[in-house]
Amino acid sequence: MADMMDMEGTNGRRVLLCVSGCIAAYKACEVLRGLQKAGCDVKVVLTEAACEFVGPTTFEALSGHEVAVDLFDYGPSAIPHIQLSDWADLILVCPATANVVAKASQGIADDCLTSTLLAATSPILFAPAMNVRMWQNAATRANVETLEARGIVFVMPASGRLACGDIGEGKLAEVETIVDRALSMLDATQSLAGRHVLVTAGPTHEPVDPVRFLANASSGKMGFEIARAARRSGAHVTLVCGPVSLPDPCGVDVIHVTTAAEMLEASSEAFQSCDAAVLAAAVADYTPTNPSDHKLKKRDEALDSIPLTRTKDILATLSKTKGERVVIGFAAETNDLVENAREKLTTKGCDLIIANDVSREDSTFGSDTDAVTIVSTDGAEELPTLSKREVAERIVEMVSKMIAAKGDATC
Ligand code: CTP
């Protein structure tokens, strides 16, 4: 079934509702409606056991999206656990059975729901429901503690008469309590809601002839992580990327380009409606002056030179007209990191430079980590070696604060 619902009518907040097998599964329908009324777009994952209580048809009709149950049978994607966990701004497990709590605490991923939880990077909220003895069992207590220690949030079950007739703790919390908690978690992570952020990523390819080009070793990973982090913070993101072998991030407008000139054109257009731009692309500084329209044949003698022309600097061009926009650039350096970054800050006219020492193994092109120094007119702050995802989150946090500060200054 194709998705019936687009983002119209939602405020861009995406909740993945994971329902496990418990009599309280019917309450998940009310939770879904409550989230939709608050403007959220909701997709649903069910365990096989949940289907015994409320079937996928009900959740499909309510959510307007195909429901994922089977890891190997989900129309919109061959890898539902990755695609759905990537899509979500918040994952809500409601009701969460003792079994799902246990599996999540141990990192077991033996179905679509638990695999999605293991692949998740967005905040997770559990709303457990089970028999009082199961809830109070030392194993469940330890599992809840483990998950809380990892930052997973719980809406604790209420006390009352349970489906089995027992009286005690284990009743799913009130629907409104669960919805409110989900919304407050979403608000806490939506620092860029209503903002438009432009990100550039990857290398550019400058043609020499139809089969050859000048390029560099940029993987595009940093820019893609920034685009994802900005999206998770609620921004509308336009990602202009050169040739990379990465899948398009979910929920982001991706414009694929090849050359520096194309990147400049696409970025300049998107910049018009932006609040911030983070230019992480490793744009070629030179392009062949007269690219051949046919394949160049080799000759016996040496090829002494290929005439090259300077490309236009996208960062400097956008910075000239930035007005109140926040503009952040990168500097890939092998020596004199801070001095070179300071010079770029001045000559290119942006607000910040993220300086990256690409001579280090933990910070080079293609690595999954970066050791960056943030250079502004106020000074330089060296960050420890972090994953690219963490660096991206720090950058997006700075973007949010800088946009807020500029807003305050103009008030
Ligand atoms: N940049 C750009 N357009 C270019 C070249 C670079 O927008 N034509 C941007 C990059 O996206 C990055 C910053 O400028 O944000 C710094 O790029 P870098 O390659 O480190 O510096 P260069 O200006 O190219 O200088 P050099 O190669 O001399 O270090």
Side-chain angles (χ1 to χ4, degrees), residues 156-360:
M156 291 305 178
S159 263
R161 178 174 290 279
L162 306 175
C164 51
D166 281 355
I167 293 177
E169 262 180 320
K171 210 168 127 71
L172 186 73
E174 291 298 328
V175 168
E176 274 142 53
T177 312
I178 298 168
V179 171
D180 282 353
R181 197 59 189 273
L183 294 177
S184 68
M185 283 176 76
L186 281 166
D187 287 343
T189 60
Q190 296 291 299
S191 59
L192 286 175
R195 304 294 188 176
H196 183 190
V197 177
L198 163 70
V199 181
T200 65
T204 61
H205 286 184
E206 308 301 322
V208 174
D209 71 12
V211 295
R212 301 182 181 94
F213 51 81
L214 299 182
N216 59 61
S218 168
S219 65
K221 285 181 188 171
M222 188 71 246
F224 273 55
E225 287 298 351
I226 294 166
R228 281 201 190 91
R231 170 66 212 125
R232 285 198 298 276
S233 296
H236 165 209
V237 181
T238 302
L239 172 63
V240 180
C241 70
V244 291
S245 51
L246 300 169
D248 288 356
C250 220
V252 166
D253 287 340
V254 185
I255 304 174
H256 293 275
V257 296
T258 305
T259 63
E262 288 167 8
M263 187 171 275
L264 172 67
E265 193 187 340
S267 303
S268 301
E269 198 181 326
F271 192 61
Q272 301 306 316
S273 59
C274 276
D275 299 285
V278 184
L279 305 191
V283 188
D285 291 322
Y286 297 93
T287 190
T289 310
N290 300 305
S292 170
D293 58 5
H294 59 273
K295 188 181 167 215
L296 296 170
K297 302 305 281 181
K298 63 180 167 295
R299 298 198 205 115
D300 285 342
E301 61 272 25
L303 177 63
D304 288 333
S305 65
I306 300 176
L308 299 175
T309 305
R310 276 295 306 268
T311 57
K312 213 164 172 195
D313 193 297
I314 304 169
L315 179 57
T317 307
L318 299 190
S319 293
K320 264 190 209 135
T321 59
K322 74 186 176 67
E324 289 309 307
R325 297 178 190 89
V326 170
V327 178
I328 297 184
F330 274 70
E333 308 292 345
T334 54
N335 53 284
D336 304 323
L337 186 71
V338 175
E339 293 69 29
N340 282 330
R342 276 215 178 98
E343 199 186 323
K344 279 176 190 167
L345 189 70
T346 315
T347 54
K348 302 200 183 206
C350 54
D351 296 295
L352 280 186
I353 286 281
I354 314 295
N356 192 4
D357 183 348
V358 288
S359 68
R360 290 173 55 151

Side-chain angles (χ1 to χ4, degrees), residues 110-135:
D110 62 355
D111 61 11
C112 191
L113 188 150
T114 49
S115 301
T116 304
L117 290 179
L118 199 59
T121 52
S122 43
I124 302 177
L125 175 63
F126 269 70
M130 64 195 76
N131 170 271
V132 57
R133 296 196 299 276
M134 294 168 86
W135 175 246

Side-chain angles (χ1 to χ4, degrees), residues 3 14 16 43 45 66 68 71 74-88 91 115-116 119 248-251:
D3 279 3
R14 301 156 171 226
L16 186 65
K43 291 189 181 182
V45 180
E66 182 162 334
L71 264 179
Y74 177 61
S77 170
I79 42 169
H81 55 308
I82 305 300
Q83 201 238 22
L84 289 169
S85 57
D86 222 11
W87 174 86
I91 298 183
S115 301
T116 304
D248 288 356
C250 220

